[in-house]
Amino acid sequence: EPETSLHPSAQKELMNFILKQIKIKKLQVVVSTHSPDIICGMPKESIKVIYEKKDNGKVGVLGDIYPENAFVHIGHTLSSKKKIIVEDRLAQMIVEKVLEKKDDKELFEVRFFPGGASQIKQNEMTVYSKEDNCKNYIFFDGDQNCGKIDVTSLSERDKTIENLNQKIIDISKESEIKFSLDGNATADQKKELMLKYIKYHNENVFFLPKNEPEEIIWSDDVLENADIPELEKNKIKREPDYKKKFNLFADLNFGDKSAEYQIKAYEYFLTRWLKDDENEDYSKITRLIDSIKQRG
């Protein structure tokens, strides 16, 4: 492992040397590090995060991960921008387009993690909740909204491990959230982490309108203007699952239902959704963003 006590400029020089040797000698080099400066600027395809799974203690591996997100498992974040974490690619597209329309894109980074809502609650939130004045925010889909709890409203009698655990289950929809504690941790230390988690959920977690992002941008009026036979349009309209609606649309409008054309279908509807200045869901998302901006 490269010496992480080196000055960042020395670490950069070291990495440049390694990269040069890779090119000259056609090498594959594996670097293990806890230093953000070592991986800063590396493509996400080359980064792997190896971590201990909290549910069973086994080793897990995350791939295809951005440098600024790679260190959440050891409690380190890189970006000075406020970060919005969402569940999937479409939610990311929606929030980024709203930020772009509001001229707020330079203030935020929007990211999603493979694994969706459950991974965010089990991993990212347990790390972010430890940070004071955290600039990492989460926009879950509407179907994850089980209410919030203000920790200041809890009495001392409420603050037992059993009660706090149940409250976390209630707001997270997870059977259990595991917190990283060393073997000498006391009950009070665990309670503190649980209270911070509830506080973070109350202050830094928001919910997009509608149960899923596909429902936000879907419009039968947009479908009507597409070059698709009327019989097939009716078939799409009758489909109750919004993800399947887009799958059918991609297949019938573009002739391909692969992931690439699914994204094209999203873009087709998203472009038209943004043109509706009286769109209620757009207004709700802008209010969420504005509430974060006001925090300074």
Side-chain angles (χ1 to χ4, degrees):
E1 179 177 340
E3 177 54 62
T4 55
S5 62
L6 290 175
H7 189 275
S9 61
Q11 292 186 20
K12 184 177 180 181
E13 185 177 339
L14 171 63
M15 289 306 297
N16 286 337
F17 171 78
I18 292 173
L19 290 171
K20 185 177 180 180
Q21 295 305 308
I22 290 172
K23 292 177 182 178
I24 294 172
K25 300 179 181 179
K26 310 296 183 185
L27 300 174
Q28 181 182 39
V29 175
V30 177
V31 177
S32 170
T33 183
H34 282 173
S35 170
D37 297 297
I38 292 292
I39 71 163
C40 187
M42 290 176 64
K44 60 186 177 69
E45 292 81 7
S46 68
I47 299 172
K48 305 287 184 187
V49 175
I50 300 173
Y51 67 102
E52 182 182 359
K53 294 182 178 179
K54 293 173 183 171
D55 56 346
N56 57 20
K58 294 183 178 180
V59 173
V61 180
L62 293 176
D64 201 36
I65 189 165
Y66 289 93
E68 59 267 33
N69 294 336
F71 284 85
V72 295
H73 294 281
I74 59 173
H76 190 106
T77 54
L78 302 182
S79 176
S80 61
K81 290 184 179 181
K82 292 179 179 178
K83 188 184 299 178
I84 297 174
I85 308 299
V86 295
E87 290 186 42
D88 58 28
R89 177 71 177 114
L90 177 55
Q92 180 187 34
M93 292 169 66
I94 291 171
V95 175
E96 285 183 336
K97 286 296 184 182
V98 172
L99 288 169
E100 187 176 316
K101 187 172 180 179
K102 285 170 52 60
D103 291 326
D104 285 338
K105 199 167 183 180
E106 295 304 312
L107 302 177
F108 295 90
E109 291 181 30
V110 186
R111 294 278 186 252
F112 77 92
F113 294 96
S118 184
Q119 178 178 299
I120 294 170
K121 294 170 187 175
Q122 294 284 355
N123 296 323
E124 278 66 41
M125 282 180 62
T126 56
V127 172
Y128 295 156
S129 61
K130 296 177 184 178
E131 301 177 14
D132 295 326
N133 303 314
C134 183
K135 292 186 177 182
N136 297 307
Y137 299 86
I138 295 167
F139 285 8
F140 284 122
D141 296 349
D143 64 352
Q144 299 297 315
N145 190 353
C146 294
K148 295 189 172 195
I149 297 172
D150 183 354
V151 292
T152 62
S153 69
L154 299 178
S155 67
E156 289 305 312
R157 192 183 302 180
D158 292 327
K159 296 177 184 178
T160 65
I161 287 179
E162 293 76 14
N163 284 342
L164 294 176
N165 184 59
Q166 185 57 54
K167 291 182 185 302
I168 289 174
I169 289 172
D170 291 342
I171 62 176
S172 69
K173 297 179 70 173
E174 297 288 310
S175 59
E176 184 181 12
I177 299 293
K178 291 186 178 293
F179 297 92
S180 296
L181 293 161
D182 60 44
N184 298 320
T186 65
D188 285 343
Q189 288 172 324
K190 183 171 183 179
K191 283 195 288 185
E192 183 181 2
L193 290 180
M194 297 172 87
L195 286 166
K196 284 186 174 183
Y197 189 95
I198 295 170
K199 184 175 185 288
Y200 178 86
H201 182 275
N202 185 52
E203 296 179 355
N204 289 57
V205 171
F206 300 89
F207 301 94
L208 294 171
K210 304 289 195 301
N211 284 334
E212 54 188 342
E214 285 83 359
E215 189 178 357
I216 294 174
I217 64 171
W218 180 264
S219 168
D220 285 347
D221 291 338
V222 173
L223 175 64
E224 280 298 331
N225 292 323
D227 187 19
I228 296 175
E230 200 63 35
L231 188 65
E232 302 295 348
K233 286 180 183 176
N234 291 330
K235 179 182 177 182
I236 297 174
K237 287 179 182 178
R238 290 194 301 270
E239 172 55 58
D241 187 311
Y242 284 91
K243 292 184 187 296
K244 291 181 180 178
K245 281 181 184 287
F246 277 98
N247 191 266
L248 286 169
F249 181 86
D251 192 22
L252 294 167
N253 193 66
F254 301 119
D256 193 323
K257 56 182 179 181
S258 65
E260 177 186 353
Y261 284 89
Q262 188 93 359
I263 294 296
K264 287 185 179 293
Y266 290 155
E267 291 171 342
Y268 184 93
F269 278 78
L270 183 53
T271 299
R272 289 152 182 81
W273 177 78
L274 286 166
K275 291 180 179 178
D276 183 1
D277 292 331
E278 298 181 1
N279 188 301
E280 183 179 349
D281 290 335
Y282 174 86
S283 298
K284 288 179 179 178
I285 296 171
T286 61
R287 287 196 292 272
L288 295 183
I289 293 168
D290 287 342
S291 71
I292 296 174
K293 285 172 59 180
Q294 290 168 6
R295 301 186 184 194

